[in-house]
Amino acid sequence: ESVSIGYSTSADTVVTRDFDPKVPYRQGFTVQQACSRCHPAMLSAPFKHGPADAGLCNLCHDPHASPHSAWLRKPRWGLCTTCHDEKASEVHVIAGYVKGKSHPTRAKHDPARPGKRFSCTSCHEPHSALTKDLYQFETRSRAELCAICHRKK
């Protein structure tokens, strides 16, 4: 007779399985292992975002019931500021380098990705990147990143 049991994966997710004592036990994939089967390069860069590196994919993603792009739990800006709440209210980037008090972090069109709205991921890669600041587009410096949208004429 089989019995349902629950166990935790390394990503603190409880998985329920039917267990038959006559059949040898075989553990399934952790969340990170399951995700990396389709996204093998997600953590290939030298600098990694802590939650992604820890295998906590479900902290940001809900692949079973999300209405948001990339199966995110919330829209991008709201998701990032859940943990990085200081970015919602402080001056972002460097005062003096941008017009106004701060570089916009949302509610604008993304010049580097036509048809998309500007968000944290317009500049920062949420999984892994070449810099500790997790800059997008495989850029290695802030000036190189800014030049993606702010080309000198």
Side-chain angles (χ1 to χ4, degrees):
E1 171 181 342
S2 68
V3 178
S4 286
I5 63 165
Y7 66 90
S8 291
T9 67
S10 64
D12 296 326
T13 303
V14 175
V15 177
T16 303
R17 292 232 157 127
D18 287 335
F19 176 73
D20 185 341
K22 296 177 198 124
V23 177
Y25 174 73
R26 189 180 66 117
Q27 181 172 340
F29 293 115
T30 64
V31 171
Q32 188 176 34
Q33 289 168 334
C35 295
S36 66
R37 290 184 79 192
C38 295
H39 307 285
M42 199 63 61
L43 294 171
S44 62
F47 294 92
K48 294 158 182 54
H49 188 227
D53 192 32
L56 301 174
C57 308
N58 287 346
L59 199 61
C60 299
H61 300 277
D62 181 1
H64 301 287
S66 175
H68 307 291
S69 65
W71 292 334
L72 294 175
R73 292 191 174 276
K74 295 179 181 178
R76 291 174 200 278
W77 190 87
L79 182 66
C80 296
T81 58
T82 297
C83 295
H84 303 280
D85 59 341
E86 75 284 359
K87 301 300 180 202
S89 58
E90 74 176 19
V91 172
H92 196 59
V93 185
I94 297 176
Y97 281 93
V98 297
K99 294 178 183 175
K101 296 179 181 178
S102 180
H103 192 282
T105 57
R106 67 176 176 163
K108 301 281 184 187
H109 293 287
D110 187 338
R113 299 184 295 188
K116 297 197 181 250
R117 301 296 283 174
F118 199 82
S119 71
C120 306
T121 58
S122 296
C123 298
H124 301 280
E125 168 55 53
H127 301 103
S128 69
L130 299 176
T131 64
K132 67 177 180 60
D133 292 312
L134 300 174
Y135 293 146
Q136 277 282 18
F137 308 110
E138 297 183 357
T139 56
R140 294 182 182 268
S141 71
R142 181 177 291 169
E144 195 179 334
L145 176 67
C146 295
I148 298 292
C149 297
H150 302 281
R151 300 185 197 323
K152 290 187 178 182
K153 296 178 182 179

